[in-house]
């Protein structure tokens, strides 16, 4: 969030005068989002003091719009007892995130010991799921109903819980063993507000889309994105109701996955922090490892070229075309790899589509290579006379034409099939990044180039 | 959606026997998502017949889970009067999307003429906004309240409208001129269900985050993603309440923008359809245009190399290092371009950060280039004797080392700054794609390479 310094002097004055009335006014008159924005620039203790002036609900909402780091800093700076009491009212998933961002383990231990046993257990359970699993992403704050309740009873139950529960729009119906048996939306309840004795079991949906707590969180994100849900229930392998993942967390998951994919596609190791905000050395590491590996792989071009030393000496004009012909492989490979990786991320292409993709990209490579080969032919045909030592104009033009077409096809095929192959082998398909494909095709491209030249010219 | 053929034979049998009872059972017993999935593979008319067996609400929900193309096909295939009546109950934004997917203008005209004047006007208004604007993405289905209403009156109003309105969880308070004055959530109403006489004006939030109908839809998506809203209100420049964009459409916008960004980053023109599902020629076009442009730009490498003909002839070993040193520019440029473009998409970097980015990437380019230059030095130092005609081992190694470092820096700077520069000039920053940067740096890289070689060796 970008600090907005407009209000800072006023806020500092309020704090200096300990003017609780004005602080309350500030916290309630404008949108909680803006309150959070205007307070950036104050110290964690100052923010905590201002938050004390407003009621608990508003305090929780404003707090939720602060950066995670600021939330953690406040937890470290404010009196332990006050924070421990406050934590009980934070959404179950948000408080776990904030606690995990606290750097001092000592602080977390002290806070945990001050929490009620139930909250402590809840936090421990949520942190026990593997990273990036559905379980790690869910919240345990949701409304449980019983199928024998009436609409009126259900509405009363929501009314009671609305102060402490973030999402009250999907209500989950469980049996006596906490198995998930149905879902009813607040909308359906509101629609039946005039028929208060209607039983929940007559309204609820029984056939539900759920995710398993151990499944990767992207799976939940895909389901919610596809079906426009507000939240998706998370169950264990015995269909016990564990929690829900809400639409806002789904958006965060999708964005994080997208950024990771984009980074991998450009051969950057995934980073937690956003670029330019992360420490210099961390960004450097996430970039230099891949760059060095690619550089070392690209050393192969040296050896291949040295191998074709005789052809290079015989037909020196070929060298002038070298960057041109091999770049075609990188560009076409980058296109194909992006299309396939993106289609895989969106669920449109699966590993089992290997042969369908092979056929499609083989034809596409031909159609693309044909077009580029033609341009290459024309350019080679216009080569100045004095450069054409030891080779006829037609020979050279045909060599360039066939080489460009062949390299374009290779790039397209490699770019499209490597991600699928990697996925099949259990390697992240993003490793088949554009630079990786380009490097692979650079080496291959040189072999193709001089092999065709040897056949057509020498 | 992947067709699921399990139920198809049963469904065809029901249709052949016109067994309405079984069709109804099929439509109600399982989740509407699965009903839609199981029906894929039937003809549009068959699906419409099955949908007739269930009540209107369920019919609308199942229909909403069908592919947009199937929705359009059903609109073309089913009796006009039936569809026109059904359209009135579809969410305002969904029916516009489906109608726009109908290929026959004739059908759309016939359907429009059968609609109620109000619905027709609504559709015309929604289609009148520019493509990819907030107005084009919004729905006009939302609940309007008046600030003098009580909680009970508001709940009754929602109850009345819940059958025809998709999203009832945010309620918008407007004045007599339809200016947006406040927002109250269904959660707040439910919380106050025990105090039915509470007035809306005491509960509502007055300082709202809104978007303008003419703003780009990404702006709305960013706001919703940042603040975890369920929906965001769309207003005109006089703050009249026009519609809302809901969380599910926000996810779609984010995904479409992400795909577009990824495609641009790989030099593929944006396509509406998903890859492999789109017609071959359309995919070919979206790929060949950029590939050809890049190929033509890369022709520059030919001219530059021809220009350095004398240096190449004098020190032939340099040629073996050519692909190696220039690929460094492409790889480092691709990293930098991706980091900056992604940071810009997420709002972390703005055009005004130009000099901050310049300084950061200058240092980063040095740190990355230093590392690669070192590897290059070692490799060049190990060059076999017989290739070292006319150049000393140290001269060659220093040339490669400095060249790699310089090209890596150039790639990093160009990759990081071009997207910012393009944005400043009003060009989509995605045009500074990885292949574009690589091509640009290939040409520059050759100049750098032979210039350094001339200084250090000749």
């Amino acid at each position: 969030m970008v600090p907005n310094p407009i209000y800072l002097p006023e806020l500092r004055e309020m704090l200096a005068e300990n003017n609780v009335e004005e602080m309350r006014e500030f916290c309630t008159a404008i949108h909680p989002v803006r309150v959070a924005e205007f307070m950036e620039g104050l110290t964690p203790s100052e923010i905590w003091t201002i938050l004390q002036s407003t009621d608990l609900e508003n305090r929780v909402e404003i707090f939720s719009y602060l950066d995670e780091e600021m939330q953690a800093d406040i937890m470290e700076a404010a009196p332990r007892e006050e924070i421990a009491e406050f934590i009980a009212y934070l959404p179950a998933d948000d408080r776990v995130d904030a606690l995990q961002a606290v750097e001092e383990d000592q602080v977390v231990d002290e806070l945990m010991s001050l929490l009620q046993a139930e909250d402590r257990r809840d936090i421990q359970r949520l942190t026990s799921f593997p990273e990036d699993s559905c379980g790690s992403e869910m919240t345990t704050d949701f409304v449980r109903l019983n199928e024998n309740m009436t609409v009126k009873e259900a509405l009363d139950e929501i009314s009671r819980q609305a102060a402490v529960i973030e999402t009250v729009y999907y209500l989950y119906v469980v049996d006596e063993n906490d198995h998930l048996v149905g879902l009813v939306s607040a909308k359906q309840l509101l629609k039946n507000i005039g028929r208060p004795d209607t039983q929940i079991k007559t309204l609820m949906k029984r056939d539900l889309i759920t995710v398993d707590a151990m499944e990767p969180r992207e799976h939940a994100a895909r389901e919610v994105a596809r079906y426009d849900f507000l939240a998706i229930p998370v169950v264990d392998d015995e269909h016990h109701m564990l929690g829900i993942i809400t639409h806002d967390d789904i958006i965060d998951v999708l964005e994080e996955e997208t950024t990771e994919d984009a980074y991998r596609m450009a051969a950057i190791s995934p980073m937690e922090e956003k670029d330019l905000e992360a420490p210099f050395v961390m960004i450097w590491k996430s970039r230099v490892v891949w760059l060095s590996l690619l550089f070392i792989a690209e050393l192969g071009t040296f050896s291949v070229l040295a191998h074709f030393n005789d052809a290079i000496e015989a037909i020196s004009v070929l060298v002038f075309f070298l960057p041109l012909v091999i770049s075609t492989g990188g560009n076409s490979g980058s296109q194909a790899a992006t299309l396939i990786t993106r289609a895989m991320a969106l669920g449109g292409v699966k590993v089992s589509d290997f042969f369908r993709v092979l056929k499609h990209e083989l034809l596409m490579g031909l159609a693309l290579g044909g077009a580029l080969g033609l341009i290459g032919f024309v350019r080679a045909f216009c080569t100045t006379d004095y450069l054409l030592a030891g080779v006829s104009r037609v020979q050279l033009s045909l060599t360039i034409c066939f080489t460009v077409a062949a390299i374009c096809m290779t790039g397209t095929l490699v770019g499209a099939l490597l991600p699928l192959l990697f996925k099949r082998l259990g390697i992240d398909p993003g490793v088949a990044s554009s630079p990786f494909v380009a490097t692979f095709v650079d080496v291959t491209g040189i072999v193709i180039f001089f092999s065709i030249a040897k056949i057509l010219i020498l």
Side-chain angles (χ1 to χ4, degrees), chain A:
Chain A
M1 199 178 289
V2 186
N4 190 323
I6 305 179
Y7 271 76
L8 283 187
E10 279 91 335
L11 290 174
R12 293 223 170 90
E13 209 180 297
M14 289 178 208
L15 283 162
E17 296 169 359
N18 196 22
N19 191 333
V20 180
E21 205 41 60
E22 274 192 24
M23 291 185 208
R24 188 189 343 265
E25 169 72 18
F26 165 74
C27 286
T28 49
I30 56 177
H31 196 290
V33 159
R34 296 214 175 88
V35 177
E37 218 172 281
F38 287 139
M39 288 196 300
E40 298 257 328
L42 296 179
T43 67
S45 310
E46 287 173 334
I47 295 181
W48 184 244
T49 307
I50 293 178
L51 285 177
Q52 297 301 306
S53 71
T54 187
D55 66 48
L56 185 63
E57 194 182 344
N58 195 30
R59 194 183 308 159
V60 168
E61 190 167 1
I62 299 170
F63 188 83
S64 76
Y65 289 123
L66 294 169
D67 279 340
E68 217 169 73
E69 287 88 54
M70 180 51 89
Q71 292 181 353
D73 290 347
I74 291 175
M75 287 191 173
E76 293 188 51
R80 297 280 177 275
E81 286 78 15
E82 282 179 30
I83 286 291
E85 207 195 317
F86 179 64
I87 283 179
Y89 294 95
L90 291 179
D93 51 345
D94 289 0
R95 67 184 173 198
V96 169
D97 292 343
L99 280 171
Q100 286 183 327
V102 172
E103 276 169 27
E104 298 281 334
D105 288 343
Q106 173 75 28
V107 175
V108 178
D109 292 344
E110 285 175 29
L111 286 173
M112 288 293 276
S113 70
L114 289 168
L115 291 177
Q116 304 242 333
E118 196 190 336
D119 286 333
R120 191 164 52 234
R121 267 199 304 275
D122 187 66
I123 291 171
Q124 283 162 344
R125 196 147 49 96
L126 282 179
T127 47
S128 71
F129 288 99
E131 207 184 339
D132 295 347
S133 66
C134 288
S136 75
E137 205 63 42
M138 72 184 183
T139 177
T140 46
D141 286 341
F142 59 91
V143 181
R144 277 186 170 80
L145 300 178
N146 165 322
E147 61 176 356
N148 295 317
M149 283 173 131
T150 62
V151 164
K152 180 164 185 342
E153 287 167 341
L155 286 170
D156 289 345
E157 181 66 27
I158 300 174
S159 175
R160 246 194 314 281
Q161 300 202 26
V164 286
I165 288 202
E166 205 187 350
T167 308
V168 298
Y169 300 132
Y170 281 179
L171 303 317
Y172 297 89
V173 184
V174 293
D175 66 13
E176 61 277 16
N177 297 317
D178 210 29
H179 291 118
L180 176 63
V181 294
L183 164 79
V184 65
S185 68
K187 183 176 163 183
Q188 280 168 291
L189 294 180
L190 288 168
K191 220 165 79 182
N192 289 285
I193 211 166
R195 289 174 291 279
D197 295 328
T198 313
Q199 278 196 310
I200 295 302
K201 69 174 132 203
T202 64
L203 295 179
M204 72 184 191
K205 219 168 247 171
R206 288 165 193 277
D207 181 43
L208 302 184
I209 311 285
T210 61
V211 290
D212 188 282
M214 303 302 285
E215 280 181 287
R217 57 182 195 162
E218 298 97 288
H219 178 65
R222 281 285 132 241
E223 296 285 287
V224 171
R226 176 187 285 177
Y227 300 128
D228 302 345
F229 296 148
L230 269 175
I232 193 162
V234 181
V235 295
D236 65 14
D237 44 14
E238 290 171 339
H239 218 67
H240 288 112
M241 180 68 189
L242 299 182
I244 61 172
I245 308 180
T246 52
H247 65 99
D248 49 327
D249 293 322
I250 293 296
I251 289 186
D252 294 343
V253 170
L254 289 173
E255 299 248 291
E256 281 170 37
E257 296 296 325
T258 301
T259 302
E260 259 182 43
D261 286 354
Y263 282 5
R264 278 212 206 83
M265 215 53 214
I268 305 165
S269 309
M271 288 180 288
E272 280 282 313
E273 282 85 356
K274 281 185 208 139
D275 185 43
L276 300 190
E277 283 169 25
F280 190 84
V281 174
M282 185 187 287
I283 308 181
W284 181 77
K285 267 195 213 155
S286 78
R287 293 164 79 162
V288 80
V289 174
W290 271 104
L291 271 192
S292 304
L293 287 176
L294 290 169
F295 188 78
I296 291 167
E298 186 85 19
L299 288 175
T301 57
F302 178 92
S303 315
V304 177
L305 281 171
H307 174 78
F308 286 108
N309 198 8
D310 52 338
I312 296 174
E313 273 178 12
I315 331 153
S316 60
V317 69
L318 291 181
V319 166
F320 302 134
F321 286 97
L322 186 57
L324 177 67
V325 297
I326 63 176
S327 75
T328 311
N331 293 341
S332 57
S334 167
Q335 282 190 339
T338 299
L339 282 169
I340 292 297
T341 323
R342 194 72 202 130
M344 281 164 80
L346 294 174
V349 165
K350 295 189 180 55
V351 174
S352 54
D353 293 320
F354 191 89
F355 289 101
R356 187 165 70 99
V357 173
L358 175 70
K359 191 185 139 206
H360 188 272
E361 293 299 296
L362 202 65
L363 289 172
M364 187 57 74
L366 256 172
L368 294 171
L372 296 189
L374 211 66
I375 307 178
F377 183 91
V378 172
R379 179 63 189 87
F381 204 81
C382 303
T383 308
T384 336
D385 277 332
Y386 80 92
L387 291 172
L388 288 173
V391 57
S392 87
R393 195 172 290 279
V394 174
Q395 276 177 322
L396 177 69
S397 308
L398 283 178
T399 304
I400 299 302
C401 174
F402 289 140
T403 303
V404 167
I407 291 182
C408 182
M409 274 189 63
T410 313
T412 304
L413 276 182
V414 171
L417 299 181
L418 264 194
L420 288 171
L421 198 70
F422 279 13
K423 176 108 185 186
R424 180 75 190 76
L425 297 174
I427 307 169
D428 191 304
V431 172
S433 61
S434 301
F436 180 90
V437 171
T439 302
F440 187 90
V441 184
D442 272 358
V443 181
T444 336
I446 298 174
V447 177
I448 294 175
F449 185 24
F450 290 103
S451 304
I452 292 182
K454 275 185 160 178
I455 296 169
L456 290 183
I457 305 177
L458 294 181

